[in-house]
Amino acid sequence: MIEAMCDSKMSKEAIQAQLRESQLKVTVPRLRVLAVLNSSKKSHYSAEDVYRILLKMHQDVGLATIYRVLAKFEQAGLVLRHHFEGEYALFELAYKEHHDHMICLDSHKIIEFKNDSIEEAQKQIAKQYGFELVDHRLVLYVRKIKQ
Amino acid sequence: MIEAMCDSKMSKEAIQAQLRESQLKVTVPRLRVLAVLNSSKKSHYSAEDVYRILLKMHQDVGLATIYRVLAKFEQAGLVLRHHFEGEYALFELAYKEHHDHMICLDSHKIIEFKNDSIEEAQKQIAKQYGFELVDHRLVLYVRKIKQ
DNA sequence: CTAATTGCAAAAGCTTTGCAGCGCA
DNA sequence: TGCGCTGCAAAGCTTTTGCAATTAG
């Protein structure tokens, strides 16, 4: 079967390897979902996004399956789940370097950024309160500066 | 009519004033919702929380109304909406000093904290990218340190 | 071969909306 | 009095679940 690679940055073999490393069974739906997430079009997808993209490629996967696959991926640490706008979840591959997000309130564009001093400060704050930092979410809501 | 003050930190008059200042009509449901939000029990409530608390006090307000009231309050800047866990929204009064949140993954307790250097760094980052910071959400997911 | 995975449809949250009646300013 | 607010029930969305059939290892 010929699978359109969805403009993926990764070979099909590499994607299969991602699954095996995570101790996940290699199935057609999982490969298809990973191919979409790996595609270079954008990096944040809702379950519905993935569903529609696969529909358009005539590589349909049931929406319920997509939710189950994404949940498995998240559990395996392959994928991160975000709730930027609150109504629905967005997923992105986790293998990238850690980063936070900036969302433009005008264009709804998502920009990724990283700042070490903020990362470090977070750890310190958790420690101050007697906790260890497990994870965090930082989202900046911004607007283009008008001149 | 005698309104149980729901252990509020604010007098009924002060709560009415909050509404008038925001140019909102003073109605019974709005006063009741504000009384709950102002109560000292906790500071983050879901719409359902507010609904059930008012039920228990025999000061029922329709759930739909609570959602509409909270939306109005948010719009007026009286209330902040959070999506800590993603599934549902939590609301808190906005008049308090700005702060971020730390959530214990074991106890689900919500701890508020403030850190000026992080606040400042955020502004700088937005600026670097040609944006102005409008708002932000920082949530730390933590666990008690085990000895 | 066995346990895990899939697809479909149905159900389950949370939240919003339509509409008729009520209430604040 | 007039516009906005409320309640109820119904609808909307995203996400989850039950179940029988299919598939990976």
Side-chain angles (χ1 to χ4, degrees), chain A residues 28-64:
Chain A
V28 172
R30 286 176 183 176
L31 289 174
R32 288 178 175 173
V33 171
L34 265 187
V36 172
L37 296 180
N38 270 298
S39 84
S40 50
K41 297 266 161 51
K42 56 175 182 169
S43 42
H44 301 84
Y45 298 85
S46 69
E48 188 80 27
D49 287 341
V50 175
Y51 177 72
R52 276 206 282 260
I53 289 170
L54 289 174
L55 256 192
K56 213 175 287 176
M57 298 165 73
H58 303 289
Q59 304 191 346
D60 315 21
V61 172
L63 187 53

Side-chain angles (χ1 to χ4, degrees), chain B residues 25-26 63-64 67-68 87-89:
Chain B
K25 276 191 182 177
V26 176
L63 187 53
Y67 275 104
R68 277 188 282 226
E87 317 96 33
Y88 53 89

